[in-house]
Short mmCIF file of all heavy atoms in Angstrom, two decimals:
data_model
loop_
_atom_site.label_atom_id
_atom_site.label_comp_id
_atom_site.label_asym_id
_atom_site.label_seq_id
_atom_site.Cartn_x
_atom_site.Cartn_y
_atom_site.Cartn_z
N ILE A 198 -19.21 17.37 -18.00
CA ILE A 198 -19.78 16.40 -17.11
C ILE A 198 -18.78 16.27 -15.93
O ILE A 198 -17.63 16.66 -16.07
CB ILE A 198 -19.94 14.96 -17.75
CG1 ILE A 198 -18.59 14.36 -18.17
CG2 ILE A 198 -20.89 15.05 -18.90
CD1 ILE A 198 -18.67 12.90 -18.58
N SER A 199 -19.24 15.70 -14.85
CA SER A 199 -18.29 15.37 -13.80
C SER A 199 -18.45 13.93 -13.41
O SER A 199 -19.60 13.41 -13.36
CB SER A 199 -18.41 16.30 -12.59
OG SER A 199 -19.52 15.89 -11.80
N ILE A 200 -17.31 13.24 -13.24
CA ILE A 200 -17.37 11.88 -12.80
C ILE A 200 -16.60 11.85 -11.50
O ILE A 200 -15.45 12.17 -11.40
CB ILE A 200 -16.73 10.88 -13.81
CG1 ILE A 200 -17.41 11.08 -15.14
CG2 ILE A 200 -16.85 9.45 -13.32
CD1 ILE A 200 -16.90 10.10 -16.21
N ASN A 201 -17.28 11.37 -10.42
CA ASN A 201 -16.72 11.42 -9.05
C ASN A 201 -16.10 12.78 -8.74
O ASN A 201 -14.98 12.89 -8.23
CB ASN A 201 -15.67 10.30 -8.90
CG ASN A 201 -16.25 8.94 -9.27
OD1 ASN A 201 -17.41 8.71 -9.30
ND2 ASN A 201 -15.34 8.08 -9.69
N ASN A 202 -16.83 13.85 -9.11
CA ASN A 202 -16.42 15.24 -8.83
C ASN A 202 -15.27 15.73 -9.70
O ASN A 202 -14.84 16.86 -9.52
CB ASN A 202 -16.13 15.50 -7.36
CG ASN A 202 -17.39 15.55 -6.53
OD1 ASN A 202 -18.44 15.97 -7.08
ND2 ASN A 202 -17.34 15.20 -5.28
N LYS A 203 -14.69 14.92 -10.55
CA LYS A 203 -13.69 15.40 -11.51
C LYS A 203 -14.35 15.91 -12.77
O LYS A 203 -15.21 15.17 -13.29
CB LYS A 203 -12.70 14.27 -11.81
CG LYS A 203 -11.53 14.73 -12.69
CD LYS A 203 -10.60 13.48 -12.80
CE LYS A 203 -9.47 13.65 -13.86
NZ LYS A 203 -9.18 14.88 -14.44
N VAL A 204 -14.04 17.10 -13.16
CA VAL A 204 -14.79 17.72 -14.27
C VAL A 204 -14.12 17.45 -15.60
O VAL A 204 -12.90 17.53 -15.73
CB VAL A 204 -14.89 19.19 -14.06
CG1 VAL A 204 -15.57 19.93 -15.23
CG2 VAL A 204 -15.62 19.60 -12.77
N PHE A 205 -14.92 17.05 -16.58
CA PHE A 205 -14.39 16.87 -17.96
C PHE A 205 -15.13 17.87 -18.83
O PHE A 205 -16.34 17.95 -18.85
CB PHE A 205 -14.73 15.43 -18.42
CG PHE A 205 -14.02 14.39 -17.70
CD1 PHE A 205 -14.56 13.84 -16.47
CD2 PHE A 205 -12.78 13.87 -18.09
CE1 PHE A 205 -13.89 12.84 -15.81
CE2 PHE A 205 -12.13 12.87 -17.40
CZ PHE A 205 -12.70 12.38 -16.21
N GLY A 206 -14.36 18.69 -19.51
CA GLY A 206 -14.94 19.82 -20.26
C GLY A 206 -14.72 19.73 -21.77
O GLY A 206 -14.05 18.82 -22.28
N ASN A 207 -15.38 20.66 -22.48
CA ASN A 207 -15.33 20.73 -23.98
C ASN A 207 -15.60 19.41 -24.61
O ASN A 207 -14.85 18.96 -25.49
CB ASN A 207 -13.95 21.28 -24.39
CG ASN A 207 -13.82 22.75 -24.08
OD1 ASN A 207 -14.76 23.53 -24.23
ND2 ASN A 207 -12.64 23.13 -23.52
N LEU A 208 -16.66 18.76 -24.23
CA LEU A 208 -16.91 17.39 -24.66
C LEU A 208 -17.67 17.33 -26.01
O LEU A 208 -18.38 18.26 -26.34
CB LEU A 208 -17.77 16.65 -23.60
CG LEU A 208 -17.08 16.41 -22.30
CD1 LEU A 208 -18.03 15.67 -21.36
CD2 LEU A 208 -15.80 15.59 -22.44
N THR A 209 -17.46 16.23 -26.69
CA THR A 209 -18.35 15.87 -27.81
C THR A 209 -18.80 14.45 -27.54
O THR A 209 -18.17 13.77 -26.74
CB THR A 209 -17.55 15.94 -29.13
OG1 THR A 209 -16.51 15.01 -29.09
CG2 THR A 209 -17.01 17.31 -29.46
N SER A 210 -19.82 14.03 -28.26
CA SER A 210 -20.34 12.71 -27.96
C SER A 210 -19.28 11.64 -28.29
O SER A 210 -19.25 10.56 -27.64
CB SER A 210 -21.65 12.45 -28.69
OG SER A 210 -21.63 13.04 -29.92
N GLU A 211 -18.40 11.93 -29.22
CA GLU A 211 -17.38 10.90 -29.57
C GLU A 211 -16.39 10.67 -28.43
O GLU A 211 -15.74 9.59 -28.40
CB GLU A 211 -16.58 11.33 -30.82
CG GLU A 211 -17.34 11.21 -32.11
CD GLU A 211 -17.86 12.54 -32.54
OE1 GLU A 211 -17.04 13.39 -32.95
OE2 GLU A 211 -19.08 12.80 -32.45
N MET A 212 -16.21 11.68 -27.56
CA MET A 212 -15.23 11.49 -26.49
C MET A 212 -15.74 10.63 -25.32
O MET A 212 -14.95 10.18 -24.52
CB MET A 212 -14.89 12.90 -25.93
CG MET A 212 -14.02 13.73 -26.88
SD MET A 212 -14.17 15.47 -26.47
CE MET A 212 -13.02 15.61 -25.09
N VAL A 213 -17.06 10.38 -25.32
CA VAL A 213 -17.66 9.70 -24.17
C VAL A 213 -17.06 8.32 -23.95
O VAL A 213 -16.63 8.01 -22.82
CB VAL A 213 -19.19 9.61 -24.38
CG1 VAL A 213 -19.82 8.59 -23.49
CG2 VAL A 213 -19.76 11.02 -24.10
N PRO A 214 -16.95 7.38 -24.96
CA PRO A 214 -16.43 6.05 -24.66
C PRO A 214 -15.04 6.10 -24.10
O PRO A 214 -14.73 5.39 -23.13
CB PRO A 214 -16.40 5.41 -26.07
CG PRO A 214 -17.46 6.15 -26.90
CD PRO A 214 -17.39 7.53 -26.35
N GLY A 215 -14.19 6.98 -24.60
CA GLY A 215 -12.83 7.06 -24.10
C GLY A 215 -12.73 7.49 -22.66
O GLY A 215 -11.93 6.96 -21.90
N ILE A 216 -13.63 8.39 -22.24
CA ILE A 216 -13.63 8.83 -20.86
C ILE A 216 -14.15 7.69 -19.97
O ILE A 216 -13.55 7.45 -18.92
CB ILE A 216 -14.52 10.08 -20.68
CG1 ILE A 216 -13.88 11.23 -21.40
CG2 ILE A 216 -14.78 10.44 -19.20
CD1 ILE A 216 -14.69 12.49 -21.46
N LEU A 217 -15.18 6.99 -20.36
CA LEU A 217 -15.78 5.95 -19.55
C LEU A 217 -14.73 4.80 -19.33
O LEU A 217 -14.69 4.19 -18.29
CB LEU A 217 -17.00 5.37 -20.20
CG LEU A 217 -18.22 6.32 -20.24
CD1 LEU A 217 -19.42 5.67 -20.90
CD2 LEU A 217 -18.58 6.82 -18.85
N GLU A 218 -13.90 4.55 -20.35
CA GLU A 218 -12.89 3.49 -20.23
C GLU A 218 -11.97 3.70 -19.07
O GLU A 218 -11.43 2.72 -18.55
CB GLU A 218 -12.02 3.49 -21.54
CG GLU A 218 -12.43 2.48 -22.55
CD GLU A 218 -11.68 2.66 -23.84
OE1 GLU A 218 -10.49 3.09 -23.76
OE2 GLU A 218 -12.23 2.40 -24.89
N LYS A 219 -11.78 4.93 -18.64
CA LYS A 219 -10.77 5.20 -17.57
C LYS A 219 -11.28 4.75 -16.22
O LYS A 219 -10.58 4.79 -15.25
CB LYS A 219 -10.46 6.71 -17.48
CG LYS A 219 -9.70 7.23 -18.72
CD LYS A 219 -9.41 8.71 -18.55
CE LYS A 219 -8.98 9.34 -19.83
NZ LYS A 219 -9.24 10.77 -19.87
#
Side-chain angles (χ1 to χ4, degrees):
Chain A
I198 63 169
S199 77
I200 305 184
N201 307 336
N202 284 332
K203 184 175 170 11
V204 177
F205 296 85
N207 289 318
L208 294 180
T209 60
S210 36
E211 286 100 72
M212 289 158 79
V213 163
I216 291 173
L217 293 181
E218 261 173 32
K219 291 181 194 154

